[in-house]
Amino acid sequence: FELDSPNTFTLVKFSGYKDLVLSTYAANLIYLFNTFPCDDNSEYLGINQAVTKHELASYLVYYAVNRRLGTFQKNNQLVQKALKAQLIDDISERYITREEAIDMLVKFYEAINGERISFSDSITIEVKNGDERYLNSIKKAWSKKWLYETNSFDSKAIANRDYVLAVLYRILKEVR
């Protein structure tokens, strides 16, 4: 709807997941699912559920292969493709931290975009208790403005679906 004033807004109708409005990142998630086709017909996304390495690997590879969003379900074939594409280092299955999720998302972007992300060494973001092997990915995501944190990144926080998908939305907007 447009108003007769300088302030305009659009109401977006979304008939998907019933729990999206409860997300901290609700607007971005609604835009994600309104912008990109999705093969998941579930009633709920489970926005606060922690993400496992296999679920995220399967989700990202599913998108890369089909150019459609999928479901957060482990698929052994897709996990093997993620391993081959070096999105993941091994096939251990566990819940992942935000730094691990960001590392996978950055590798996903670089794989489907066909180029490495460069960043300045002068990037200053406080990474709390971060693992050194993920620091470059965090800096890459920070330089692309994909992270939602303003000046510090809680690397050991468990990655949940709404955070991962909100970052994925920012990535996919660039890839389209």
Side-chain angles (χ1 to χ4, degrees):
F1 298 98
E2 290 194 26
L3 301 175
D4 293 329
S5 70
N7 298 325
T8 59
F9 67 93
T10 304
L11 293 178
V12 177
K13 182 178 185 245
F14 180 73
S15 59
Y17 305 111
K18 292 182 177 179
D19 56 349
L20 283 188
V21 294
L22 304 174
S23 169
T24 304
Y25 313 102
N28 285 332
L29 298 184
I30 290 169
Y31 289 132
L32 172 70
F33 291 108
N34 278 337
T35 305
F36 300 94
C38 182
D39 289 335
D40 184 9
N41 295 317
S42 303
E43 202 170 338
Y44 294 92
L45 177 62
I47 57 170
N48 293 319
Q49 288 184 3
V51 177
T52 69
K53 183 193 294 189
H54 290 186
E55 287 173 340
L56 183 54
S58 297
Y59 199 91
L60 296 175
V61 172
Y62 185 88
Y63 182 85
V65 169
N66 300 296
R67 293 297 194 238
R68 300 177 67 80
L69 301 171
T71 62
F72 275 103
Q73 293 180 339
K74 175 184 170 182
N75 178 309
N76 288 329
Q77 283 184 306
L78 297 177
V79 169
Q80 289 301 318
K81 287 183 180 185
L83 184 62
K84 186 176 180 179
Q86 299 178 342
L87 293 182
I88 55 176
D89 300 351
D90 59 49
I91 56 168
S92 64
E93 174 65 330
R94 60 186 163 64
Y95 293 113
I96 58 175
T97 61
R98 282 189 175 184
E99 68 183 352
E100 292 169 306
I102 294 301
D103 185 58
M104 290 173 68
L105 288 161
V106 165
K107 289 176 181 176
F108 163 78
Y109 173 85
E110 291 178 337
I112 64 172
N113 205 37
E115 62 184 51
R116 292 257 188 242
I117 300 168
S118 60
F119 62 92
S120 167
D121 287 334
S122 64
I123 289 178
T124 55
I125 178 172
E126 180 186 346
V127 179
K128 299 175 184 174
N129 303 316
D131 189 324
E132 189 67 32
R133 66 183 164 160
Y134 302 121
L135 190 56
N136 281 346
S137 289
I138 293 167
K139 286 182 176 182
K140 288 177 180 182
W142 181 262
S143 72
K144 297 291 272 177
K145 298 184 178 14
W146 294 339
L147 301 180
Y148 287 85
E149 292 79 4
T150 54
N151 59 5
S152 70
F153 181 77
D154 188 0
S155 59
K156 298 303 180 194
I158 296 296
N160 59 12
R161 291 179 180 180
D162 68 340
Y163 181 83
V164 168
L165 290 173
V167 173
L168 181 62
Y169 173 63
R170 288 183 169 177
I171 291 170
L172 292 180
K173 284 192 317 184
E174 289 188 30
V175 173
R176 274 197 302 171

